[in-house]
Amino acid sequence: ELMFAAGRAIGLTANIPRSANFGTRSKPRVKKLVEASPAELRRYASAQRSFGIRSPVFGSALGKQRLVIEGPEDRGRFWVPAKQYLETDVTKVGEVAAELGAKEVRIFTFNSPSGIGSEQLVQPSIDRTGSVVRFLKEKFGLRSRAEIEVHLVGDTSPNLLRICQAIPGLGAVWDFGNVSSQGDELVSS
């Protein structure tokens, strides 16, 4: 609750959460909100509301999985079959976003396999990211915004733009630090 009190004290009214401390200052227990128990999530959402802070966007890590499986060690940890991914990870994100009252979810465009240029994987990323966007919209009424980031298929301005234009309802999160770290000029991006 301290972070909400501090935020309100400086005039903040919105928060884009991803994780929270469910412990104390002296014994922190920081968790991603998708890993919080239902009781912890309700406590977080209630505390946020009591301070008049809303979460218009939930900052998920959806799409930070590998686009394709590279080896047996990837299964489960770095790669999940598409149907299972929707039923588990994507559903959990939708449930958390709903509890927080979010209307949008920040997602990513999946990791590029080693040795393959991201521009060669735009169509497979469109297919996989598109299924996530459609699922979140149909099941939870949520809009999705894909963030540009290194090591993902949407790692450059042109790649992310192609993905966003191909998936109805997908917007972009233009993190200027991520844009410039790719060598893209902010003015031309």
Side-chain angles (χ1 to χ4, degrees):
E1 294 180 347
L2 179 61
M3 70 177 184
F4 295 130
R8 284 303 292 169
I10 62 170
L12 295 180
T13 59
N15 172 34
I16 300 176
R18 186 174 71 185
S19 57
N21 179 10
F22 292 99
T24 63
R25 289 177 83 190
S26 60
K27 292 190 179 189
R29 284 186 314 110
V30 176
K31 293 182 179 182
K32 294 177 185 172
L33 290 177
V34 293
E35 296 169 351
S37 71
E40 288 171 327
L41 186 59
R42 280 192 304 275
R43 191 176 98 209
Y44 178 91
S46 175
Q48 179 176 268
R49 281 190 294 274
S50 72
F51 283 94
I53 296 176
R54 57 189 182 77
S55 293
V57 180
F58 175 54
S60 84
L62 288 178
K64 282 204 168 186
Q65 290 261 319
R66 293 210 172 127
L67 184 59
V68 296
I69 194 165
E70 291 188 61
E73 70 279 0
D74 288 349
R75 189 170 294 278
R77 181 168 175 211
F78 299 114
W79 182 85
V80 178
K83 186 174 188 244
Q84 180 184 343
Y85 193 62
L86 294 175
E87 293 169 353
T88 56
D89 298 49
V90 181
T91 294
K92 183 65 177 174
V93 164
E95 291 168 351
V96 170
E99 179 70 33
L100 297 174
K103 302 294 182 211
E104 297 184 358
V105 176
R106 187 264 327 263
I107 65 172
F108 297 91
T109 55
F110 293 91
N111 291 47
S112 299
S114 304
I116 301 176
S118 60
E119 62 282 343
Q120 297 171 333
L121 297 165
V122 169
Q123 188 57 53
S125 175
I126 289 168
D127 297 340
R128 187 94 190 245
T129 303
S131 69
V132 169
V133 170
R134 285 186 299 279
F135 188 87
L136 287 170
K137 183 66 175 172
E138 291 167 9
K139 187 163 183 177
F140 298 99
L142 295 164
R143 294 182 302 270
S144 299
R145 304 289 176 246
E147 182 172 335
I148 190 169
E149 189 170 304
V150 69
H151 304 301
L152 301 177
V153 178
D155 61 349
T156 64
S157 300
N159 282 356
L160 187 62
L161 184 60
R162 285 177 55 206
I163 293 166
C164 288
Q165 288 175 330
I167 301 172
L170 179 62
V173 174
W174 233 249
D175 180 319
F176 294 111
N178 289 345
V179 171
S180 60
S181 72
Q182 303 304 312
D184 289 353
E185 294 179 23
L186 292 178
V187 175
S188 66
S189 295

PDB file of all heavy atoms in Angstrom, residues 41-65:
ATOM      1  N   LEU A  41      -4.107 -11.217  -5.231  1.00  0.00           N
ATOM      2  CA  LEU A  41      -4.530 -10.356  -6.330  1.00  0.00           C
ATOM      3  C   LEU A  41      -5.703  -9.468  -5.913  1.00  0.00           C
ATOM      4  O   LEU A  41      -5.722  -8.280  -6.215  1.00  0.00           O
ATOM      5  CB  LEU A  41      -4.878 -11.195  -7.557  1.00  0.00           C
ATOM      6  CG  LEU A  41      -5.190 -10.426  -8.823  1.00  0.00           C
ATOM      7  CD1 LEU A  41      -4.014  -9.542  -9.245  1.00  0.00           C
ATOM      8  CD2 LEU A  41      -5.537 -11.389  -9.945  1.00  0.00           C
ATOM      9  N   ARG A  42      -6.664 -10.043  -5.191  1.00  0.00           N
ATOM     10  CA  ARG A  42      -7.795  -9.242  -4.701  1.00  0.00           C
ATOM     11  C   ARG A  42      -7.303  -8.143  -3.753  1.00  0.00           C
ATOM     12  O   ARG A  42      -7.772  -7.014  -3.814  1.00  0.00           O
ATOM     13  CB  ARG A  42      -8.826 -10.130  -3.995  1.00  0.00           C
ATOM     14  CG  ARG A  42      -9.753 -10.864  -4.949  1.00  0.00           C
ATOM     15  CD  ARG A  42     -10.928 -11.500  -4.229  1.00  0.00           C
ATOM     16  NE  ARG A  42     -10.528 -12.410  -3.167  1.00  0.00           N
ATOM     17  CZ  ARG A  42     -10.212 -13.699  -3.336  1.00  0.00           C
ATOM     18  NH1 ARG A  42     -10.259 -14.222  -4.548  1.00  0.00           N
ATOM     19  NH2 ARG A  42      -9.868 -14.448  -2.315  1.00  0.00           N
ATOM     20  N   ARG A  43      -6.350  -8.485  -2.883  1.00  0.00           N
ATOM     21  CA  ARG A  43      -5.799  -7.501  -1.943  1.00  0.00           C
ATOM     22  C   ARG A  43      -5.108  -6.364  -2.693  1.00  0.00           C
ATOM     23  O   ARG A  43      -5.281  -5.191  -2.385  1.00  0.00           O
ATOM     24  CB  ARG A  43      -4.829  -8.186  -0.981  1.00  0.00           C
ATOM     25  CG  ARG A  43      -4.416  -7.290   0.174  1.00  0.00           C
ATOM     26  CD  ARG A  43      -3.538  -8.021   1.144  1.00  0.00           C
ATOM     27  NE  ARG A  43      -2.158  -7.668   0.810  1.00  0.00           N
ATOM     28  CZ  ARG A  43      -1.124  -8.451   1.010  1.00  0.00           C
ATOM     29  NH1 ARG A  43      -1.253  -9.628   1.535  1.00  0.00           N
ATOM     30  NH2 ARG A  43       0.082  -8.032   0.681  1.00  0.00           N
ATOM     31  N   TYR A  44      -4.335  -6.724  -3.729  1.00  0.00           N
ATOM     32  CA  TYR A  44      -3.641  -5.721  -4.548  1.00  0.00           C
ATOM     33  C   TYR A  44      -4.659  -4.797  -5.223  1.00  0.00           C
ATOM     34  O   TYR A  44      -4.551  -3.575  -5.157  1.00  0.00           O
ATOM     35  CB  TYR A  44      -2.765  -6.417  -5.589  1.00  0.00           C
ATOM     36  CG  TYR A  44      -2.056  -5.469  -6.516  1.00  0.00           C
ATOM     37  CD1 TYR A  44      -0.787  -5.001  -6.211  1.00  0.00           C
ATOM     38  CD2 TYR A  44      -2.652  -5.029  -7.690  1.00  0.00           C
ATOM     39  CE1 TYR A  44      -0.128  -4.114  -7.056  1.00  0.00           C
ATOM     40  CE2 TYR A  44      -2.008  -4.146  -8.538  1.00  0.00           C
ATOM     41  CZ  TYR A  44      -0.747  -3.691  -8.217  1.00  0.00           C
ATOM     42  OH  TYR A  44      -0.108  -2.820  -9.055  1.00  0.00           O
ATOM     43  N   ALA A  45      -5.660  -5.398  -5.879  1.00  0.00           N
ATOM     44  CA  ALA A  45      -6.659  -4.611  -6.610  1.00  0.00           C
ATOM     45  C   ALA A  45      -7.451  -3.721  -5.655  1.00  0.00           C
ATOM     46  O   ALA A  45      -7.727  -2.555  -5.963  1.00  0.00           O
ATOM     47  CB  ALA A  45      -7.592  -5.540  -7.391  1.00  0.00           C
ATOM     48  N   SER A  46      -7.799  -4.242  -4.491  1.00  0.00           N
ATOM     49  CA  SER A  46      -8.551  -3.467  -3.510  1.00  0.00           C
ATOM     50  C   SER A  46      -7.730  -2.278  -2.996  1.00  0.00           C
ATOM     51  O   SER A  46      -8.240  -1.158  -2.883  1.00  0.00           O
ATOM     52  CB  SER A  46      -8.964  -4.367  -2.349  1.00  0.00           C
ATOM     53  OG  SER A  46      -9.597  -3.616  -1.350  1.00  0.00           O
ATOM     54  N   ALA A  47      -6.449  -2.539  -2.698  1.00  0.00           N
ATOM     55  CA  ALA A  47      -5.578  -1.458  -2.212  1.00  0.00           C
ATOM     56  C   ALA A  47      -5.422  -0.383  -3.279  1.00  0.00           C
ATOM     57  O   ALA A  47      -5.501   0.819  -2.995  1.00  0.00           O
ATOM     58  CB  ALA A  47      -4.216  -2.019  -1.812  1.00  0.00           C
ATOM     59  N   GLN A  48      -5.248  -0.814  -4.509  1.00  0.00           N
ATOM     60  CA  GLN A  48      -5.104   0.141  -5.611  1.00  0.00           C
ATOM     61  C   GLN A  48      -6.351   1.013  -5.729  1.00  0.00           C
ATOM     62  O   GLN A  48      -6.263   2.236  -5.817  1.00  0.00           O
ATOM     63  CB  GLN A  48      -4.856  -0.640  -6.904  1.00  0.00           C
ATOM     64  CG  GLN A  48      -4.704   0.208  -8.127  1.00  0.00           C
ATOM     65  CD  GLN A  48      -4.369  -0.612  -9.346  1.00  0.00           C
ATOM     66  OE1 GLN A  48      -3.222  -0.794  -9.655  1.00  0.00           O
ATOM     67  NE2 GLN A  48      -5.378  -1.110 -10.022  1.00  0.00           N
ATOM     68  N   ARG A  49      -7.515   0.379  -5.708  1.00  0.00           N
ATOM     69  CA  ARG A  49      -8.774   1.129  -5.821  1.00  0.00           C
ATOM     70  C   ARG A  49      -8.967   2.077  -4.630  1.00  0.00           C
ATOM     71  O   ARG A  49      -9.453   3.197  -4.794  1.00  0.00           O
ATOM     72  CB  ARG A  49      -9.961   0.170  -5.931  1.00  0.00           C
ATOM     73  CG  ARG A  49     -10.135  -0.423  -7.313  1.00  0.00           C
ATOM     74  CD  ARG A  49     -11.455  -1.159  -7.450  1.00  0.00           C
ATOM     75  NE  ARG A  49     -11.539  -2.338  -6.609  1.00  0.00           N
ATOM     76  CZ  ARG A  49     -11.092  -3.552  -6.955  1.00  0.00           C
ATOM     77  NH1 ARG A  49     -10.537  -3.732  -8.137  1.00  0.00           N
ATOM     78  NH2 ARG A  49     -11.228  -4.560  -6.148  1.00  0.00           N
ATOM     79  N   SER A  50      -8.588   1.624  -3.435  1.00  0.00           N
ATOM     80  CA  SER A  50      -8.799   2.466  -2.245  1.00  0.00           C
ATOM     81  C   SER A  50      -7.984   3.755  -2.302  1.00  0.00           C
ATOM     82  O   SER A  50      -8.329   4.742  -1.661  1.00  0.00           O
ATOM     83  CB  SER A  50      -8.498   1.685  -0.965  1.00  0.00           C
ATOM     84  OG  SER A  50      -7.118   1.477  -0.809  1.00  0.00           O
ATOM     85  N   PHE A  51      -6.907   3.757  -3.092  1.00  0.00           N
ATOM     86  CA  PHE A  51      -6.105   4.965  -3.249  1.00  0.00           C
ATOM     87  C   PHE A  51      -6.478   5.725  -4.524  1.00  0.00           C
ATOM     88  O   PHE A  51      -5.810   6.691  -4.892  1.00  0.00           O
ATOM     89  CB  PHE A  51      -4.611   4.624  -3.253  1.00  0.00           C
ATOM     90  CG  PHE A  51      -4.073   4.346  -1.880  1.00  0.00           C
ATOM     91  CD1 PHE A  51      -4.007   3.045  -1.398  1.00  0.00           C
ATOM     92  CD2 PHE A  51      -3.650   5.382  -1.064  1.00  0.00           C
ATOM     93  CE1 PHE A  51      -3.526   2.777  -0.131  1.00  0.00           C
ATOM     94  CE2 PHE A  51      -3.171   5.126   0.211  1.00  0.00           C
ATOM     95  CZ  PHE A  51      -3.114   3.819   0.683  1.00  0.00           C
ATOM     96  N   GLY A  52      -7.538   5.280  -5.213  1.00  0.00           N
ATOM     97  CA  GLY A  52      -7.995   5.986  -6.402  1.00  0.00           C
ATOM     98  C   GLY A  52      -7.074   5.820  -7.596  1.00  0.00           C
ATOM     99  O   GLY A  52      -7.022   6.676  -8.474  1.00  0.00           O
ATOM    100  N   ILE A  53      -6.354   4.709  -7.633  1.00  0.00           N
ATOM    101  CA  ILE A  53      -5.449   4.442  -8.753  1.00  0.00           C
ATOM    102  C   ILE A  53      -6.058   3.333  -9.594  1.00  0.00           C
ATOM    103  O   ILE A  53      -6.554   2.339  -9.083  1.00  0.00           O
ATOM    104  CB  ILE A  53      -4.048   4.057  -8.240  1.00  0.00           C
ATOM    105  CG1 ILE A  53      -3.439   5.246  -7.485  1.00  0.00           C
ATOM    106  CG2 ILE A  53      -3.144   3.623  -9.395  1.00  0.00           C
ATOM    107  CD1 ILE A  53      -2.097   4.968  -6.855  1.00  0.00           C
ATOM    108  N   ARG A  54      -6.019   3.521 -10.886  1.00  0.00           N
ATOM    109  CA  ARG A  54      -6.568   2.515 -11.808  1.00  0.00           C
ATOM    110  C   ARG A  54      -5.461   1.923 -12.655  1.00  0.00           C
ATOM    111  O   ARG A  54      -4.374   2.491 -12.754  1.00  0.00           O
ATOM    112  CB  ARG A  54      -7.671   3.129 -12.661  1.00  0.00           C
ATOM    113  CG  ARG A  54      -7.231   4.318 -13.434  1.00  0.00           C
ATOM    114  CD  ARG A  54      -8.372   5.067 -14.114  1.00  0.00           C
ATOM    115  NE  ARG A  54      -7.808   6.167 -14.861  1.00  0.00           N
ATOM    116  CZ  ARG A  54      -7.191   6.054 -16.039  1.00  0.00           C
ATOM    117  NH1 ARG A  54      -7.126   4.888 -16.632  1.00  0.00           N
ATOM    118  NH2 ARG A  54      -6.677   7.093 -16.634  1.00  0.00           N
ATOM    119  N   SER A  55      -5.762   0.788 -13.271  1.00  0.00           N
ATOM    120  CA  SER A  55      -4.816   0.118 -14.177  1.00  0.00           C
ATOM    121  C   SER A  55      -5.449   0.003 -15.550  1.00  0.00           C
ATOM    122  O   SER A  55      -6.113  -0.989 -15.845  1.00  0.00           O
ATOM    123  CB  SER A  55      -4.468  -1.281 -13.659  1.00  0.00           C
ATOM    124  OG  SER A  55      -3.746  -1.225 -12.477  1.00  0.00           O
ATOM    125  N   PRO A  56      -5.284   0.992 -16.416  1.00  0.00           N
ATOM    126  CA  PRO A  56      -5.886   0.902 -17.744  1.00  0.00           C
ATOM    127  C   PRO A  56      -5.237  -0.177 -18.611  1.00  0.00           C
ATOM    128  O   PRO A  56      -5.856  -0.712 -19.517  1.00  0.00           O
ATOM    129  CB  PRO A  56      -5.666   2.298 -18.332  1.00  0.00           C
ATOM    130  CG  PRO A  56      -4.514   2.856 -17.564  1.00  0.00           C
ATOM    131  CD  PRO A  56      -4.555   2.236 -16.207  1.00  0.00           C
ATOM    132  N   VAL A  57      -3.973  -0.495 -18.301  1.00  0.00           N
ATOM    133  CA  VAL A  57      -3.215  -1.488 -19.074  1.00  0.00           C
ATOM    134  C   VAL A  57      -2.552  -2.450 -18.089  1.00  0.00           C
ATOM    135  O   VAL A  57      -2.006  -2.025 -17.079  1.00  0.00           O
ATOM    136  CB  VAL A  57      -2.113  -0.812 -19.929  1.00  0.00           C
ATOM    137  CG1 VAL A  57      -1.319  -1.846 -20.722  1.00  0.00           C
ATOM    138  CG2 VAL A  57      -2.706   0.231 -20.851  1.00  0.00           C
ATOM    139  N   PHE A  58      -2.607  -3.753 -18.400  1.00  0.00           N
ATOM    140  CA  PHE A  58      -1.859  -4.722 -17.606  1.00  0.00           C
ATOM    141  C   PHE A  58      -0.577  -5.038 -18.367  1.00  0.00           C
ATOM    142  O   PHE A  58      -0.614  -5.403 -19.538  1.00  0.00           O
ATOM    143  CB  PHE A  58      -2.669  -5.995 -17.361  1.00  0.00           C
ATOM    144  CG  PHE A  58      -1.885  -7.059 -16.648  1.00  0.00           C
ATOM    145  CD1 PHE A  58      -1.262  -6.786 -15.440  1.00  0.00           C
ATOM    146  CD2 PHE A  58      -1.755  -8.318 -17.192  1.00  0.00           C
ATOM    147  CE1 PHE A  58      -0.515  -7.757 -14.779  1.00  0.00           C
ATOM    148  CE2 PHE A  58      -1.025  -9.288 -16.536  1.00  0.00           C
ATOM    149  CZ  PHE A  58      -0.403  -9.016 -15.329  1.00  0.00           C
ATOM    150  N   GLY A  59       0.558  -4.914 -17.720  1.00  0.00           N
ATOM    151  CA  GLY A  59       1.863  -5.119 -18.356  1.00  0.00           C
ATOM    152  C   GLY A  59       2.300  -6.574 -18.353  1.00  0.00           C
ATOM    153  O   GLY A  59       3.212  -6.938 -17.616  1.00  0.00           O
ATOM    154  N   SER A  60       1.666  -7.395 -19.159  1.00  0.00           N
ATOM    155  CA  SER A  60       1.987  -8.826 -19.172  1.00  0.00           C
ATOM    156  C   SER A  60       3.291  -9.111 -19.898  1.00  0.00           C
ATOM    157  O   SER A  60       3.844  -8.247 -20.577  1.00  0.00           O
ATOM    158  CB  SER A  60       0.863  -9.609 -19.858  1.00  0.00           C
ATOM    159  OG  SER A  60       1.033  -9.612 -21.267  1.00  0.00           O
ATOM    160  N   ALA A  61       3.743 -10.344 -19.764  1.00  0.00           N
ATOM    161  CA  ALA A  61       4.923 -10.809 -20.492  1.00  0.00           C
ATOM    162  C   ALA A  61       4.531 -11.783 -21.598  1.00  0.00           C
ATOM    163  O   ALA A  61       5.374 -12.535 -22.095  1.00  0.00           O
ATOM    164  CB  ALA A  61       5.905 -11.471 -19.525  1.00  0.00           C
ATOM    165  N   LEU A  62       3.246 -11.774 -21.988  1.00  0.00           N
ATOM    166  CA  LEU A  62       2.815 -12.672 -23.073  1.00  0.00           C
ATOM    167  C   LEU A  62       3.645 -12.419 -24.317  1.00  0.00           C
ATOM    168  O   LEU A  62       3.910 -11.282 -24.676  1.00  0.00           O
ATOM    169  CB  LEU A  62       1.336 -12.446 -23.397  1.00  0.00           C
ATOM    170  CG  LEU A  62       0.329 -12.947 -22.379  1.00  0.00           C
ATOM    171  CD1 LEU A  62      -1.080 -12.589 -22.829  1.00  0.00           C
ATOM    172  CD2 LEU A  62       0.460 -14.444 -22.164  1.00  0.00           C
ATOM    173  N   GLY A  63       4.050 -13.483 -24.985  1.00  0.00           N
ATOM    174  CA  GLY A  63       4.827 -13.361 -26.206  1.00  0.00           C
ATOM    175  C   GLY A  63       6.321 -13.306 -25.978  1.00  0.00           C
ATOM    176  O   GLY A  63       7.086 -13.111 -26.910  1.00  0.00           O
ATOM    177  N   LYS A  64       6.761 -13.501 -24.743  1.00  0.00           N
ATOM    178  CA  LYS A  64       8.201 -13.576 -24.489  1.00  0.00           C
ATOM    179  C   LYS A  64       8.654 -15.031 -24.491  1.00  0.00           C
ATOM    180  O   LYS A  64       9.704 -15.364 -23.986  1.00  0.00           O
ATOM    181  CB  LYS A  64       8.559 -12.887 -23.173  1.00  0.00           C
ATOM    182  CG  LYS A  64       8.586 -11.383 -23.318  1.00  0.00           C
ATOM    183  CD  LYS A  64       9.456 -10.751 -22.282  1.00  0.00           C
ATOM    184  CE  LYS A  64       9.705  -9.302 -22.610  1.00  0.00           C
ATOM    185  NZ  LYS A  64      10.652  -8.692 -21.712  1.00  0.00           N
ATOM    186  N   GLN A  65       7.848 -15.888 -25.085  1.00  0.00           N
ATOM    187  CA  GLN A  65       8.176 -17.293 -25.291  1.00  0.00           C
ATOM    188  C   GLN A  65       8.862 -17.425 -26.650  1.00  0.00           C
ATOM    189  O   GLN A  65       8.760 -16.538 -27.486  1.00  0.00           O
ATOM    190  CB  GLN A  65       6.890 -18.128 -25.318  1.00  0.00           C
ATOM    191  CG  GLN A  65       6.201 -18.237 -23.992  1.00  0.00           C
ATOM    192  CD  GLN A  65       6.538 -19.533 -23.311  1.00  0.00           C
ATOM    193  OE1 GLN A  65       6.607 -20.571 -23.944  1.00  0.00           O
ATOM    194  NE2 GLN A  65       6.759 -19.476 -22.015  1.00  0.00           N
TER     195      GLN A  65
END
